[in-house]
Each structure stands twice: as C-alpha cells, then as structure tokens.
Amino acid sequence: DTEVTQTPKHLVMGMTNKKSLKCEQHMGHRAMYWYKQKAKKPPELMFVYSYEKLSINESVPSRFSPECPNSSLLNLHLHALQPEDSALYLCASSPAGESATDTQYFGPGTRLTVL
Amino acid sequence: GQNIDQPTEMTATEGAIVQINCTYQTSGFNGLFWYQQHAGEAPTFLSYNVLDGLEEKGRFSSFLSRSKGYSYLLLKELQMKDSASYLCAVRGGNRDDKIIFGKGTRLHILP
C-alpha cells in the first residue's frame, strides 16, 4: 500500500456543525501533516504529528482540532467553522526516519465548503 | 525570513522543453522538492535535491545550486498532460523544520 487516503472527498457543512476529516496511510510513515489550500495558492501547513505527538501547530484557530489515534491515522475535527475556512484540506505523510530525504506524500484531499 | 520565488505562469508548446526556475532564501537548508499539482488535485512528488547538481528522472530533471539558492525543473518532450502547477518547496535547516512551499508556477501547454 503506497498511498495516503482521505475521507470524505467532499464535505458541505454549516457554521454550527461538527464534522471530522480522516486520513490514513499504511506505509509505516511516522510523520503526518494537515495542510489547507485555497484556490490558486500553495498548501499552507496547519499541523505536524511526529511519532503520534503534535510537533507543529501553525497558530491554527481552535475550531480546528487535530487528533492522531495511532501511527496510521490522522483526524481533523471541525467545529464552528467560518465560510472563509472553505478550502481543500490535504493530508500528507513522510517516513520521518534517519534519512534527510523525508519526502511528503499527499492524499487526494477533502474539498470543504462552509455555508 | 523565509522566501521562495518562482514565476507565476509560463506557456510552452507540446513537444518542446521548458525550464521552471526557483530561488530561495531560508534559515538553513535541508533539501528542495518539486511537486506537480493538477487543478483540484493533490500535489504529487516529482523530485528531491539536497546536493548540488542535476537529478534526472525520465522527462523531468531538477537542478540545485546551494551557493546561489537556486533550482530549476526541466521538462522535456512536453505533453498536454503536463499542464499543471509546479510547486518548489524547501525544507529548512533543522531536521524537523517544516517544508515551505513556493506559490507555484502554472504551466500552460499549447498544441
């Protein structure tokens, strides 16, 4: 298995809803990432988990809450979002081993629309 | 500060060669990546350079000069499916430093 999977592919939610995005990889990677990408912009890093511990939080609002239940899974819990949070949310993973060639492999993304 | 510059858009003809440049200023350096991203899809990894020189992978090659803070991605025998955004990304100096993405270059291929 050499891919990162994300569910759902599309999500439409209201500002009062609570939803979760899910990401899974079975490549034995020990680092996992959440990015947010707006149209025609590069990905913006949100969170990094390394060995199941949160290592980077890029000052993301608390309405986004990441969770890493185990080394293969990464969730992003959403609550009380704003319309400007509508974007493509990308999950990525990397080996996080001893090699410096720590390439990130991206999932297909979840297209989120907040009404 | 951290800064990565690449052209916003480029146009090339099917069958031709195109070079996409990237310059960077970062606090330390631990590798440069090129990703391809088609509209509405996730980025896919193309190449990685950490030492000076040229890395060739089929129709795509990537070059790095650390002293100049400069890289380029060379695409040969262009195909219509190469129409995409190409993202240059740099990992900073510490082992756990995050990867910073450039704004991407939108490449349009004309028949």
Side-chain angles (χ1 to χ4, degrees), chain A:
Chain A
D1 191 346
T2 58
E3 65 174 1
V4 178
T5 59
Q6 289 186 244
T7 55
K9 285 188 176 180
H10 301 276
L11 178 63
V12 179
M13 60 187 290
M15 290 190 283
T16 58
N17 292 157
K18 283 185 181 181
K19 297 286 184 183
S20 296
L21 309 184
K22 296 185 184 303
C23 175
E24 191 167 0
Q25 57 87 14
H26 294 287
M27 295 180 279
H29 290 177
R30 302 311 301 269
M32 296 184 77
Y33 310 76
W34 280 116
Y35 286 87
K36 172 183 176 180
Q37 187 175 26
K38 303 282 262 186
K40 298 185 179 180
K41 300 285 187 184
E44 296 174 26
L45 184 66
M46 300 174 72
F47 303 103
V48 180
Y49 273 83
S50 180
Y51 292 86
E52 298 158 52
K53 289 187 168 51
L54 183 65
S55 62
I56 294 178
N57 177 343
E58 287 291 304
S59 303
V60 179
S62 59
R63 58 185 184 268
F64 296 91
S65 174
E67 179 198 18
C68 189
N70 60 57
S71 60
S72 300
L73 293 173
L74 185 66
N75 299 323
L76 185 63
H77 303 298
L78 314 173
H79 174 54
L81 295 193
Q82 305 295 312
E84 59 264 28
D85 297 322
S86 298
L88 180 69
Y89 287 84
L90 294 163
C91 174
S93 71
S94 67
E98 294 302 317
S99 168
T101 58
D102 212 18
T103 300
Q104 292 180 24
Y105 296 89
F106 285 83
T110 294
R111 176 76 57 190
L112 175 67
T113 303
V114 181
L115 301 177

Side-chain angles (χ1 to χ4, degrees), chain B residues 8-47:
Chain B
T8 304
E9 286 191 82
M10 298 182 72
T11 302
T13 305
E14 193 175 16
I17 298 173
V18 71
Q19 178 175 310
I20 302 174
N21 296 325
C22 171
T23 57
Y24 63 89
Q25 300 95 37
T26 57
S27 54
F29 177 82
N30 200 16
L32 185 144
F33 303 81
W34 283 96
Y35 283 85
Q36 180 191 61
Q37 186 173 27
H38 287 98
E41 298 182 13
T44 55
F45 170 74
L46 290 179
S47 69

